[in-house]
Amino acid sequence: MGCWICCLCCRAADPLMLLLVLALGCNPSTAAAASPSVPHVKPSYSFGRTFLGLDKCNACIGTSICKKFFKEEIRFDTWLSSHLKLPPSSLLSYSGNYTDDAKSWRLVDITRLTSKYQHDRADKRICTSLLRTSSCSLERALRRTQRFQKWLRAKRLTPDLVQGLPSPLLRCPSQRLLDRIVRRYAEVPDAGSIYMDHLTDRDKLRLLYTLAVNSHPILLQIFPDVEGWPFPRYLGSCGRLLVSASTRPLRDFFGVAPEVAADLALQLLAVLRSMATNDLNYFFYFTHVDAGTFGVFSNGHLFIRDASTLGVIDKEEGSQLIDGQQEYKDIFSCLTVDCQSALVSCDSIRDQHSLVMVCQDLLPKLLSGKFQPPVQESIDAFLRRCARGLDDGGGASEAMAELAGILKPLRSCDSRFAYRYPDCRYSDKY
């Protein structure tokens, strides 16, 4: 009888509730406890245009990945906490998470071209130098410059349009390299053309600004990892933030086991070798290296993490700057560097240039005190000789082959080296 009365009481109820009551043995108290709770309201994140740097566009990198930020398909690590707060805007880089399907996430690096302090100084310098005011519309100020007016009229990116820019990438430019920049510039729809007809005025300003501040994202775009170049994958930009595949800096690996250190050192030599000798006949050299220049993916593969100090010399065409062109200076020459800083002569770069830097600053920290005395003594002796500039008359290729010969027997083949395991079991290459 109780069950019959209960069910009668439920006749006027929602059909879904009626089913719940029947399933729970017509116990009204149980049914009430099982009622669905109020739906959880998804929190909404607000960046603010200032954090992303969108308020400074079109004096910015680009906007190709902004939608993913606002759709929460790119999340900072702090968003995974209960506080759901954005990290401080003063940081140069952030660890983040990226998804294409809202189910699987992968780590990414979110970085600025330079520190916010340097960005703010550069913005102020633009306004005070060009408009004689402490604040202004950066885009309007930069559009008035002689250099940008030449960019607007140009059909093709030529050496005279980039002369005096501080980026090592453009210190010794060839027309072939500049055509590659235009053809592969990823912040615009791919036109596959060496001419700038597909670039709007806004696109030209963004490209010029990026090249003037930091050419790192441009190098990632024109020499992509999918073609075998040792750079992390470029995923896009939003305002003044760049998103790329995540790597851990080499400094995190200075205390690793001997066989891991040997493996990383061999990879480092292989990267330097590929930068000096490749199918496209470009010679890459570093103007500076430190513990953050190189990075390591989760599979143990070593890449160039920071390409901002990479210069490129075209061995096929050579530099097309004429005498005196490198001395040209304007506001774009000193957005983030001292306008008086001297430029390195293209003719002064030797094949051993980058190897000597690595021998001085990185390999000793990675390899010192790791191995038994006979091997360690050989490594230390090589590094001392290399750091002096290989003054025995040998070239970089011979020196790298010598060190590789010492290190190869020291590395192992196991699952810690996922990028080459299990291939190393069946190939003499490793």
Side-chain angles (χ1 to χ4, degrees):
M1 174 66 76
C3 183
W4 179 79
I5 293 174
C6 172
C7 291
L8 269 179
C9 295
C10 294
R11 284 179 182 174
D14 184 89
L16 178 60
M17 180 61 73
L18 179 58
L19 289 174
L20 284 171
V21 171
L22 292 173
L24 293 169
C26 296
N27 186 332
S29 61
T30 308
S35 298
S37 59
V38 177
H40 175 67
V41 178
K42 187 178 181 181
S44 178
Y45 303 102
S46 176
F47 288 95
R49 294 169 61 83
T50 302
F51 182 86
L52 293 170
L54 281 171
D55 59 325
K56 302 301 176 64
C57 283
N58 291 306
C60 62
I61 318 174
T63 56
S64 62
I65 210 166
C66 287
K67 285 184 179 179
K68 280 197 168 288
F69 275 106
F70 290 113
K71 289 168 64 179
E72 299 170 29
E73 293 175 347
I74 297 177
R75 296 186 175 186
F76 293 88
D77 273 355
T78 51
W79 282 13
L80 302 181
S81 71
S82 59
H83 301 292
L84 300 171
K85 291 181 179 179
L86 288 172
S89 60
S90 59
L91 299 180
L92 186 60
S93 63
Y94 312 87
S95 179
N97 300 272
Y98 176 102
T99 185
D100 287 317
D101 55 15
K103 297 178 182 178
S104 57
W105 294 81
R106 51 189 166 123
L107 290 175
V108 292
D109 289 333
I110 305 170
T111 56
R112 301 183 186 276
L113 293 187
T114 186
S115 70
K116 190 174 185 303
Y117 170 74
Q118 288 177 302
H119 268 313
D120 291 343
R121 281 188 62 193
D123 295 343
K124 186 176 181 180
R125 185 182 292 123
I126 292 171
C127 293
T128 54
S129 299
L130 301 179
L131 298 181
R132 303 292 188 267
T133 179
S134 58
S135 62
C136 67
S137 165
L138 299 178
E139 180 172 356
R140 187 170 70 248
L142 294 176
R143 276 177 171 272
R144 294 183 179 183
T145 61
Q146 181 181 0
R147 186 192 293 269
F148 186 65
Q149 289 301 311
K150 289 177 65 177
W151 273 63
L152 288 179
R153 296 189 297 268
K155 293 291 185 182
R156 193 174 182 182
L157 186 58
T158 52
D160 63 296
L161 295 177
V162 300
Q163 61 177 297
L165 294 183
S167 168
L169 171 65
L170 303 171
R171 196 149 297 174
C172 314
S174 69
Q175 188 58 59
R176 186 170 71 114
L177 177 63
L178 297 179
D179 288 343
R180 190 176 182 89
I181 291 175
V182 172
R183 195 172 63 247
R184 294 185 168 222
Y185 182 42
E187 287 298 311
V188 298
D190 182 16
S193 173
I194 62 174
Y195 297 101
M196 295 198 290
D197 297 334
H198 63 294
L199 300 184
T200 64
D201 294 357
R202 174 200 65 192
D203 298 329
K204 289 182 179 180
L205 180 56
R206 291 177 180 178
L207 176 57
L208 173 56
Y209 179 85
T210 306
L211 290 171
V213 176
N214 187 329
S215 59
H216 171 74
I218 303 299
L219 275 158
L220 269 56
Q221 294 169 45
I222 67 176
F223 298 108
D225 67 308
V226 294
E227 295 180 2
W229 298 98
F231 301 109
R233 179 165 301 181
Y234 177 81
L235 298 172
S237 299
C238 184
R240 290 180 169 179
L241 290 180
L242 155 74
V243 183
S244 60
S246 177
T247 59
R248 289 176 58 194
L250 188 61
R251 67 172 65 91
D252 292 353
F253 295 84
F254 286 158
V256 295
E259 60 272 19
V260 178
D263 181 82
L264 292 174
L266 282 166
Q267 288 192 73
L268 191 50
L269 295 177
V271 167
L272 294 182
R273 196 178 300 112
S274 69
M275 294 287 92
T277 306
N278 52 74
D279 293 340
L280 294 184
N281 266 336
Y282 288 116
F283 176 79
F284 297 76
Y285 66 93
F286 287 100
T287 58
H288 171 77
V289 295
D290 58 35
T293 301
F294 297 90
V296 182
F297 284 120
S298 58
N299 65 355
H301 207 170
L302 182 139
F303 276 62
I304 296 174
R305 189 172 191 258
D306 179 5
S308 63
T309 62
L310 264 183
V312 181
I313 295 176
D314 191 337
K315 294 193 292 185
E316 191 171 298
E317 287 190 2
S319 172
Q320 295 186 15
L321 282 181
I322 61 176
D323 292 341
Q325 278 189 325
Q326 287 189 338
E327 301 306 316
Y328 175 85
K329 298 287 179 69
D330 67 353
I331 188 64
F332 289 98
S333 306
C334 49
L335 290 182
T336 55
V337 297
D338 182 0
C339 283
Q340 306 304 317
S341 59
L343 299 176
V344 177
S345 168
C346 301
D347 297 332
S348 66
I349 307 299
R350 299 289 178 263
D351 67 337
Q352 57 185 262
H353 184 88
S354 297
L355 177 61
V356 171
M357 284 185 174
V358 168
C359 286
Q360 291 173 340
D361 299 318
L362 296 182
L363 288 178
K365 298 173 184 175
L366 188 62
L367 298 175
S368 293
K370 289 280 174 53
F371 308 99
Q372 295 301 315
V375 174
Q376 189 68 58
E377 289 167 3
S378 299
I379 293 174
D380 293 344
F382 172 88
L383 294 180
R384 285 194 297 270
R385 178 163 53 88
C386 176
R388 292 195 299 268
L390 300 172
D391 49 10
D392 56 0
S397 297
E398 293 80 4
M400 286 189 282
E402 178 184 342
L403 181 57
I406 300 173
L407 294 174
K408 277 184 178 179
L410 304 176
R411 65 177 179 177
S412 61
C413 178
D414 57 63
S415 57
R416 286 176 298 171
F417 310 100
Y419 79 96
R420 60 181 174 88
Y421 182 85
D423 295 351
C424 53
R425 290 191 177 277
Y426 311 105
S427 173
D428 294 335
K429 175 183 175 182
Y430 300 107

XYZ file of all heavy atoms in Angstrom, residues 83-154:
597
model
N 43.246 28.217 -7.186
C 43.112 29.677 -7.195
C 42.781 30.227 -8.582
O 42.197 31.292 -8.703
C 44.402 30.320 -6.678
C 44.757 29.906 -5.299
N 44.009 30.268 -4.203
C 45.769 29.136 -4.826
C 44.557 29.758 -3.096
N 45.615 29.064 -3.459
N 43.167 29.500 -9.633
C 42.840 29.898 -10.996
C 43.283 31.323 -11.303
O 42.530 32.130 -11.854
C 41.340 29.739 -11.245
C 40.794 28.329 -11.079
C 39.275 28.334 -11.144
C 41.338 27.397 -12.145
N 44.510 31.637 -10.945
C 45.029 32.976 -11.180
C 46.088 32.935 -12.279
O 46.825 31.964 -12.420
C 45.649 33.553 -9.902
C 44.643 33.857 -8.814
C 45.348 34.454 -7.599
C 44.355 34.788 -6.496
N 45.030 35.338 -5.295
N 46.164 34.005 -13.051
C 47.224 34.121 -14.035
C 48.550 34.359 -13.321
O 48.582 34.961 -12.248
C 46.938 35.281 -14.986
C 45.809 35.070 -15.999
C 45.522 36.369 -16.724
C 46.174 33.987 -16.987
N 49.658 33.896 -13.905
C 50.964 34.125 -13.282
C 51.366 35.594 -13.398
O 50.742 36.363 -14.143
C 51.892 33.222 -14.099
C 51.215 33.090 -15.429
C 49.746 33.119 -15.147
N 52.405 35.998 -12.692
C 52.853 37.396 -12.777
C 53.277 37.755 -14.196
O 53.930 36.957 -14.879
C 54.056 37.436 -11.822
C 53.875 36.271 -10.910
C 53.193 35.213 -11.710
N 52.925 38.939 -14.643
C 53.267 39.364 -16.004
C 54.747 39.709 -16.147
O 55.230 39.897 -17.258
C 52.419 40.572 -16.400
O 52.658 41.655 -15.515
N 55.462 39.775 -15.030
C 56.869 40.154 -15.070
C 57.782 39.013 -15.507
O 58.959 39.233 -15.809
C 57.321 40.648 -13.693
O 57.119 39.630 -12.714
N 57.279 37.771 -15.554
C 58.114 36.625 -15.914
C 58.411 36.624 -17.412
O 57.622 37.097 -18.229
C 57.434 35.321 -15.514
C 57.154 35.127 -14.023
C 56.469 33.790 -13.773
C 58.438 35.230 -13.209
N 59.562 36.043 -17.767
C 59.956 35.958 -19.175
C 59.337 34.748 -19.858
O 59.064 34.763 -21.055
C 61.484 35.901 -19.288
C 62.077 35.962 -20.694
C 61.681 37.254 -21.393
C 63.599 35.835 -20.633
N 59.103 33.675 -19.093
C 58.527 32.469 -19.686
C 57.631 31.769 -18.672
O 57.768 31.962 -17.462
C 59.630 31.519 -20.157
O 60.415 31.073 -19.070
N 56.719 30.938 -19.185
C 55.760 30.221 -18.368
C 55.620 28.797 -18.908
O 55.758 28.554 -20.100
C 54.373 30.894 -18.415
C 54.388 32.388 -18.209
C 54.568 33.260 -19.279
C 54.230 32.930 -16.941
C 54.581 34.631 -19.095
C 54.236 34.304 -16.741
C 54.421 35.152 -17.819
O 54.439 36.516 -17.635
N 55.297 27.887 -18.005
C 54.965 26.529 -18.416
C 53.457 26.454 -18.596
O 52.693 26.953 -17.765
C 55.429 25.531 -17.357
O 55.079 24.210 -17.734
N 53.027 25.835 -19.692
C 51.600 25.763 -19.970
C 51.185 24.412 -20.517
O 52.007 23.507 -20.695
N 49.894 24.270 -20.769
C 49.311 23.040 -21.307
C 48.466 23.392 -22.520
O 47.742 24.393 -22.524
C 48.446 22.349 -20.251
C 49.238 21.968 -19.020
O 49.811 20.901 -18.941
N 49.281 22.870 -18.032
N 48.532 22.547 -23.538
C 47.910 22.825 -24.834
C 47.096 21.620 -25.265
O 47.517 20.472 -25.078
C 49.032 23.104 -25.842
C 48.627 23.318 -27.282
C 48.577 24.602 -27.820
C 48.347 22.249 -28.124
C 48.243 24.813 -29.153
C 48.007 22.453 -29.456
C 47.962 23.728 -29.964
O 47.634 23.928 -31.286
N 45.912 21.862 -25.845
C 45.082 20.751 -26.322
C 44.435 21.099 -27.652
O 44.171 22.269 -27.947
C 43.994 20.380 -25.306
O 43.291 19.221 -25.753
C 42.992 21.518 -25.131
N 44.181 20.061 -28.445
C 43.422 20.218 -29.685
C 42.040 19.610 -29.581
O 41.165 19.896 -30.394
C 44.171 19.559 -30.853
C 45.386 20.369 -31.277
O 45.270 21.601 -31.356
O 46.448 19.774 -31.521
N 41.834 18.744 -28.581
C 40.565 18.031 -28.478
C 39.914 18.122 -27.096
O 38.917 17.459 -26.831
C 40.754 16.551 -28.831
C 41.846 15.892 -27.979
O 42.243 16.471 -26.949
O 42.288 14.793 -28.356
N 40.475 18.921 -26.196
C 39.982 19.109 -24.821
C 40.078 17.836 -23.985
O 39.582 17.786 -22.864
C 38.540 19.606 -24.828
N 40.733 16.803 -24.505
C 40.900 15.556 -23.754
C 42.365 15.285 -23.432
O 42.720 15.004 -22.298
C 40.311 14.387 -24.556
C 38.811 14.503 -24.789
C 38.291 13.350 -25.639
C 36.798 13.491 -25.909
N 36.300 12.392 -26.779
N 43.203 15.353 -24.448
C 44.630 15.119 -24.227
C 45.370 16.454 -24.204
O 45.116 17.328 -25.031
C 45.203 14.224 -25.338
O 44.978 14.814 -26.607
N 46.273 16.584 -23.246
C 47.026 17.824 -23.062
C 48.513 17.550 -23.205
O 48.994 16.478 -22.854
C 46.737 18.427 -21.684
C 45.328 18.882 -21.511
C 44.239 18.113 -21.205
C 44.842 20.213 -21.643
N 43.116 18.879 -21.139
C 43.437 20.178 -21.399
C 45.440 21.438 -21.930
C 42.646 21.312 -21.439
C 44.640 22.572 -21.966
C 43.271 22.502 -21.724
N 49.252 18.521 -23.739
C 50.707 18.403 -23.816
C 51.344 19.690 -23.313
O 50.748 20.772 -23.394
C 51.165 18.087 -25.232
C 50.603 18.999 -26.313
C 50.943 18.459 -27.682
N 50.173 19.083 -28.738
C 50.723 19.713 -29.777
N 52.036 19.814 -29.875
N 49.957 20.242 -30.712
N 52.551 19.553 -22.808
C 53.249 20.702 -22.244
C 53.740 21.632 -23.345
O 54.199 21.181 -24.402
C 54.429 20.239 -21.398
C 54.088 19.530 -20.084
C 55.359 19.031 -19.420
C 53.333 20.467 -19.146
N 53.661 22.918 -23.080
C 54.195 23.922 -23.994
C 54.939 24.979 -23.188
O 54.740 25.117 -21.970
C 53.080 24.602 -24.824
C 52.452 23.621 -25.803
C 52.018 25.231 -23.922
N 55.803 25.710 -23.868
C 56.459 26.875 -23.283
C 55.783 28.128 -23.815
O 55.560 28.254 -25.027
C 57.948 26.902 -23.645
C 58.743 25.822 -22.943
O 58.325 25.409 -21.847
O 59.764 25.377 -23.493
N 55.441 29.036 -22.926
C 54.841 30.320 -23.292
C 55.852 31.392 -22.911
O 56.177 31.552 -21.735
C 53.510 30.539 -22.552
C 52.557 29.361 -22.809
C 52.858 31.851 -22.973
C 51.319 29.370 -21.933
N 56.375 32.104 -23.891
C 57.489 33.010 -23.634
C 57.240 34.388 -24.224
O 56.439 34.565 -25.144
C 58.800 32.449 -24.223
O 58.610 32.203 -25.630
C 59.182 31.150 -23.558
N 57.954 35.362 -23.674
C 57.963 36.716 -24.225
C 59.233 36.887 -25.048
O 60.235 36.219 -24.804
C 57.937 37.751 -23.099
C 56.714 37.631 -22.191
C 56.692 38.735 -21.129
N 55.592 38.508 -20.198
C 54.347 38.893 -20.413
N 54.042 39.523 -21.537
N 53.393 38.652 -19.526
N 59.196 37.800 -26.012
C 60.387 38.057 -26.814
C 61.498 38.644 -25.954
O 62.680 38.406 -26.185
C 60.063 39.023 -27.955
C 59.112 38.516 -29.039
C 59.025 39.525 -30.168
C 59.552 37.164 -29.573
N 61.101 39.407 -24.973
C 62.038 39.964 -24.004
C 61.246 40.237 -22.734
O 60.031 40.060 -22.702
C 62.694 41.249 -24.554
O 63.704 41.694 -23.651
C 61.676 42.351 -24.733
N 61.885 40.642 -21.685
C 61.182 40.849 -20.423
C 60.188 42.003 -20.547
O 60.336 42.894 -21.388
C 62.177 41.145 -19.305
O 62.759 42.428 -19.484
N 59.165 41.979 -19.711
C 58.175 43.059 -19.741
C 58.831 44.407 -19.435
O 58.451 45.438 -20.002
C 57.052 42.785 -18.739
C 55.872 43.742 -18.876
C 54.735 43.355 -17.977
C 53.516 44.256 -18.230
N 53.809 45.678 -18.051
N 59.832 44.400 -18.569
C 60.552 45.635 -18.261
C 61.213 46.192 -19.521
O 61.124 47.404 -19.809
C 61.601 45.369 -17.183
C 62.566 46.502 -16.957
C 62.165 47.659 -16.284
C 63.881 46.432 -17.422
C 63.041 48.718 -16.088
C 64.769 47.480 -17.223
C 64.354 48.619 -16.554
O 65.227 49.660 -16.368
N 61.873 45.302 -20.301
C 62.516 45.759 -21.533
C 61.478 46.189 -22.560
O 61.688 47.155 -23.304
C 63.396 44.645 -22.097
C 64.670 44.407 -21.286
C 65.472 43.248 -21.838
O 64.989 42.124 -21.936
N 66.707 43.508 -22.222
N 60.357 45.463 -22.621
C 59.276 45.872 -23.522
C 58.781 47.275 -23.167
O 58.591 48.117 -24.053
C 58.110 44.881 -23.412
C 58.170 43.760 -24.398
N 58.416 43.954 -25.738
C 57.993 42.422 -24.248
C 58.396 42.791 -26.372
N 58.141 41.846 -25.492
N 58.569 47.518 -21.882
C 58.057 48.823 -21.455
C 59.057 49.936 -21.773
O 58.672 51.038 -22.199
C 57.746 48.806 -19.959
C 56.551 47.921 -19.619
O 55.781 47.590 -20.543
O 56.396 47.541 -18.433
N 60.343 49.647 -21.569
C 61.379 50.640 -21.903
C 61.375 50.937 -23.393
O 61.501 52.089 -23.819
C 62.749 50.129 -21.487
C 63.069 50.261 -20.007
C 64.510 49.911 -19.747
N 65.423 50.808 -20.453
C 66.740 50.572 -20.599
N 67.271 49.475 -20.093
N 67.492 51.433 -21.221
N 61.253 49.852 -24.202
C 61.243 50.030 -25.654
C 60.028 50.841 -26.096
O 60.134 51.724 -26.961
C 61.251 48.671 -26.348
N 58.867 50.551 -25.485
C 57.656 51.302 -25.840
C 57.818 52.788 -25.519
O 57.420 53.658 -26.305
C 56.449 50.734 -25.087
C 56.123 49.303 -25.504
O 56.608 48.869 -26.569
O 55.391 48.626 -24.759
N 58.415 53.056 -24.372
C 58.633 54.450 -23.981
C 59.626 55.130 -24.921
O 59.456 56.303 -25.290
C 59.137 54.511 -22.542
C 59.261 55.930 -21.992
C 59.664 55.920 -20.525
C 59.762 57.329 -19.966
N 60.157 57.331 -18.542
N 60.657 54.354 -25.330
C 61.659 54.912 -26.236
C 61.027 55.279 -27.582
O 61.362 56.297 -28.186
C 62.795 53.911 -26.450
C 63.955 54.458 -27.299
C 65.035 53.415 -27.517
N 65.721 53.112 -26.277
C 65.810 51.898 -25.756
N 65.248 50.870 -26.363
N 66.467 51.698 -24.637
N 60.101 54.449 -28.058
C 59.420 54.745 -29.317
C 58.669 56.068 -29.217
O 58.773 56.938 -30.093
C 58.443 53.612 -29.676
C 59.219 52.322 -30.015
C 57.555 54.009 -30.855
C 58.324 51.100 -30.162
N 57.924 56.242 -28.128
C 57.108 57.446 -27.978
C 57.955 58.700 -27.803
O 57.685 59.740 -28.414
C 56.147 57.282 -26.801
S 54.872 56.026 -27.070
N 58.986 58.609 -26.964
C 59.799 59.795 -26.702
C 60.669 60.154 -27.898
O 60.927 61.339 -28.158
C 60.686 59.585 -25.460
O 61.457 58.381 -25.625
C 59.828 59.453 -24.218
N 61.129 59.138 -28.647
C 62.009 59.406 -29.781
C 61.245 59.918 -30.992
O 61.728 60.801 -31.707
C 62.777 58.137 -30.175
O 63.584 57.681 -29.126
N 60.051 59.368 -31.216
C 59.328 59.684 -32.444
C 58.265 60.756 -32.269
O 58.029 61.549 -33.180
C 58.686 58.413 -33.011
C 59.665 57.270 -33.346
C 58.897 56.072 -33.866
C 60.694 57.735 -34.374
N 57.604 60.795 -31.100
C 56.504 61.744 -30.911
C 56.735 62.714 -29.760
O 55.858 63.522 -29.447
C 55.189 60.984 -30.692
C 54.728 60.088 -31.848
C 53.404 59.419 -31.508
C 54.582 60.904 -33.128
N 57.879 62.606 -29.101
C 58.243 63.500 -28.004
C 57.212 63.496 -26.878
O 56.870 64.536 -26.306
C 58.417 64.942 -28.510
C 59.440 65.109 -29.610
C 60.849 64.860 -29.101
N 61.851 65.201 -30.088
C 62.373 64.330 -30.955
N 61.960 63.064 -30.922
N 63.288 64.686 -31.816
N 56.689 62.306 -26.569
C 55.725 62.165 -25.477
C 56.011 60.861 -24.745
O 56.637 59.953 -25.294
C 54.278 62.163 -26.009
O 53.380 62.007 -24.928
C 54.060 61.043 -27.008
N 55.561 60.780 -23.479
C 55.865 59.592 -22.677
C 54.974 58.407 -23.024
O 55.313 57.266 -22.741
C 55.718 59.914 -21.183
O 54.404 60.368 -20.901
N 53.819 58.663 -23.621
C 52.938 57.576 -24.046
C 52.306 57.949 -25.377
O 52.106 59.127 -25.672
C 51.863 57.309 -22.992
O 51.049 58.444 -22.823
N 51.987 56.924 -26.180
C 51.455 57.195 -27.500
C 50.897 55.917 -28.098
O 50.997 54.838 -27.497
C 52.547 57.755 -28.418
S 53.854 56.549 -28.804
N 50.343 56.008 -29.271
C 49.964 54.835 -30.046
C 51.224 54.324 -30.734
O 51.776 54.992 -31.626
C 48.901 55.191 -31.088
O 48.787 54.155 -32.038
N 51.689 53.160 -30.298
C 52.927 52.624 -30.854
C 52.806 52.393 -32.352
O 53.736 52.661 -33.120
C 53.287 51.309 -30.158
C 53.536 51.373 -28.656
C 53.835 49.983 -28.108
C 54.693 52.304 -28.339
N 51.657 51.892 -32.769
C 51.474 51.624 -34.190
C 51.549 52.909 -35.006
O 52.220 52.962 -36.043
C 50.137 50.918 -34.427
C 49.889 50.598 -35.898
C 48.663 49.735 -36.121
O 48.042 49.324 -35.123
O 48.331 49.468 -37.291
N 50.879 53.949 -34.543
C 50.900 55.215 -35.282
C 52.317 55.784 -35.344
O 52.743 56.302 -36.392
C 49.952 56.217 -34.625
C 49.796 57.496 -35.452
C 48.672 58.387 -34.948
N 49.002 58.997 -33.665
C 48.402 58.701 -32.525
N 47.453 57.768 -32.511
N 48.735 59.290 -31.398
N 53.054 55.659 -34.232
C 54.416 56.187 -34.208
C 55.323 55.425 -35.167
O 56.090 56.035 -35.931
C 54.969 56.106 -32.787
N 55.256 54.093 -35.147
C 56.127 53.284 -35.999
C 55.752 53.401 -37.471
O 56.620 53.286 -38.348
C 56.090 51.822 -35.546
C 56.689 51.550 -34.154
C 56.515 50.081 -33.758
C 58.170 51.933 -34.106
N 54.476 53.612 -37.748
C 54.053 53.760 -39.140
C 54.665 55.011 -39.785
O 54.833 55.062 -41.017
C 52.531 53.856 -39.219
C 51.825 52.505 -39.227
C 50.317 52.677 -39.237
N 49.639 51.413 -39.449
C 49.347 50.906 -40.640
N 49.701 51.571 -41.728
N 48.723 49.756 -40.770
N 54.990 56.003 -38.981
C 55.542 57.250 -39.523
C 57.017 57.142 -39.884
O 57.548 58.049 -40.534
C 55.360 58.378 -38.499
C 53.913 58.741 -38.241
C 53.838 59.909 -37.268
N 52.461 60.333 -37.001
C 52.144 61.355 -36.230
N 53.103 62.064 -35.646
N 50.871 61.670 -36.037
N 57.681 56.090 -39.442
C 59.125 55.997 -39.653
C 59.454 55.784 -41.127
O 58.679 55.214 -41.886
C 59.731 54.840 -38.845
O 59.140 53.599 -39.276
C 59.484 55.027 -37.365
N 60.636 56.236 -41.504
C 61.093 56.081 -42.882
C 61.222 54.606 -43.255
O 60.879 54.196 -44.372
C 62.437 56.790 -43.052
C 62.993 56.719 -44.469
C 64.335 57.421 -44.594
O 64.858 57.974 -43.624
N 64.902 57.399 -45.790
N 61.707 53.787 -42.295
C 61.897 52.370 -42.597
C 60.560 51.698 -42.912
O 60.439 50.963 -43.903
C 62.573 51.645 -41.432
C 62.909 50.181 -41.785
C 63.307 49.381 -40.559
N 64.566 49.816 -39.978
C 65.760 49.328 -40.298
N 65.866 48.372 -41.206
N 66.848 49.773 -39.703
N 59.551 51.962 -42.078
C 58.286 51.273 -42.323
C 57.617 51.778 -43.595
O 56.948 51.008 -44.294
C 57.330 51.436 -41.133
C 56.080 50.616 -41.278
C 56.139 49.229 -41.285
C 54.850 51.228 -41.449
C 54.997 48.464 -41.445
C 53.701 50.471 -41.609
C 53.773 49.082 -41.602
N 57.782 53.042 -43.923
C 57.230 53.549 -45.174
C 57.870 52.841 -46.372
O 57.197 52.565 -47.378
C 57.438 55.064 -45.272
C 56.557 55.872 -44.321
C 55.081 55.623 -44.545
O 54.602 55.668 -45.685
N 54.337 55.361 -43.476
N 59.158 52.506 -46.254
C 59.815 51.735 -47.311
C 59.253 50.319 -47.373
O 59.072 49.747 -48.454
C 61.328 51.689 -47.083
C 62.032 53.000 -47.318
C 63.515 52.905 -47.010
C 64.223 51.951 -47.944
N 65.691 51.906 -47.698
N 58.961 49.732 -46.175
C 58.363 48.397 -46.135
C 56.998 48.403 -46.821
O 56.638 47.448 -47.517
C 58.208 47.934 -44.676
C 59.417 47.242 -44.124
C 60.650 47.768 -43.953
C 59.482 45.883 -43.653
N 61.501 46.834 -43.391
C 60.802 45.669 -43.203
C 58.560 44.843 -43.545
C 61.229 44.457 -42.671
C 58.977 43.637 -43.021
C 60.296 43.437 -42.590
N 56.211 49.458 -46.610
C 54.876 49.522 -47.200
C 54.938 49.543 -48.721
O 54.066 48.983 -49.408
C 54.140 50.766 -46.701
C 53.679 50.760 -45.242
C 52.979 52.070 -44.905
C 52.760 49.590 -44.956
N 55.952 50.200 -49.268
C 56.062 50.313 -50.721
C 56.721 49.096 -51.361
O 56.605 48.890 -52.570
C 56.865 51.575 -51.092
C 56.187 52.869 -50.683
C 56.907 54.061 -51.274
N 58.285 54.175 -50.785
C 58.647 54.881 -49.721
N 57.718 55.534 -49.014
N 59.911 54.946 -49.351
N 57.414 48.289 -50.552
C 58.217 47.195 -51.105
C 57.353 46.014 -51.524
O 56.404 45.640 -50.846
C 59.249 46.742 -50.075
